[in-house]
Amino acid sequence: MPELPEVETVRRGLHELIIGRTVVASKSDNPKSFPNASGQVESFLLGATITGIRRRAKVLMIDLSTNYTLVIHLKMTGQLVYRGKRAFGAGHPTDSLVGELPDKSTRVTLTFTDKSKLFFNDQRKFGWMKLIPTDEVWALPFMQKVGPEPLEDDFTPLQFAERFTRRARTSIKAALLDQTVIAGVGNIYADESLWGAKLHPQRQVNTIMPAEFGALYTELRLVMNRAIDKGGSTDRNYVNVEGKRGSYMDFARVFRREGMECTRCGTTIIKFKATGRGTHICPHCQQP
DNA sequence: CACTTGACCTGTCCGC
DNA sequence: TGCGGACAGGTCAAGT
């Protein structure tokens, strides 16, 4: 579910709300959601103070004073929602997608010194969190393989195009979704940026011209920066740390807009299956 | 090695 | 209403 802009929105929210808090209790319902290998929770999480929140690709890292890090992947339906008794004492905000917590999709609950809580909800149970020594996080296989952050200041159009040479014979959409090519792109921003660059998702990578890669680079950064600005996209499940939806879908140009008119040319947006994923294009702007 | 497919889960929506 | 099947924003392991 969450892609780079959604995970970044969660990171910012956690930074506001839980830095400096000390964990006093941890409850997990589902061992796959939060395995407690050899009692690490008792040794390195309980009593630990949160010192920092980082993000790499779609992975969140909550750094602890014990020199351990909670590494978290939300996958398709994961949510991290913070509740302090003050703000939510009398019912919950009407714009929240999440009701009383815990609920039936709550997999992990962390409680802080002041009784406020961080809930890890995950309907489909694909997501996970793990306790890992902070200086070993970089050595995780995913961290070793994942591509560059597309929004970094020093990431150039030339570097962007170069990353795709390893996937020469696959489709541009499959390559965009490959986390080892570029970090953090998922189905929504793949479709949105391909529309912006007027590229058909099934174009073979090695037929794409330098100028087209340049357009895709610009559109991907534009779309992702705008999405961060809007607090991410809520298609079904995604919420921020306050349980509220993101508003990027109000600005989407093809994603979930099948049957509606292209804002550029008026042609009807269509949806089909590509790379096993729902794919949205304007058939006039994006020719094969 | 490059590439594709199936598996991991639960919930919802759509057609009969 | 009930039921079966398709589908949902991500990654891995295992297959060709």
Side-chain angles (χ1 to χ4, degrees), chain A residues 78-103:
Chain A
Q79 307 171 326
L80 286 171
V81 179
Y82 175 80
R83 290 282 163 89
K85 58 182 176 218
R86 189 171 48 83
F88 301 98
H92 41 270
T94 50
D95 59 347
S96 177
L97 269 188
V98 184
E100 290 298 314
L101 290 175
D103 64 21

Side-chain angles (χ1 to χ4, degrees), chain A residues 12-23:
Chain A
R12 293 178 184 187
L14 290 174
H15 191 84
E16 291 282 306
L17 290 168
I18 69 168
I19 294 277
R21 297 192 186 280
T22 299
V23 180

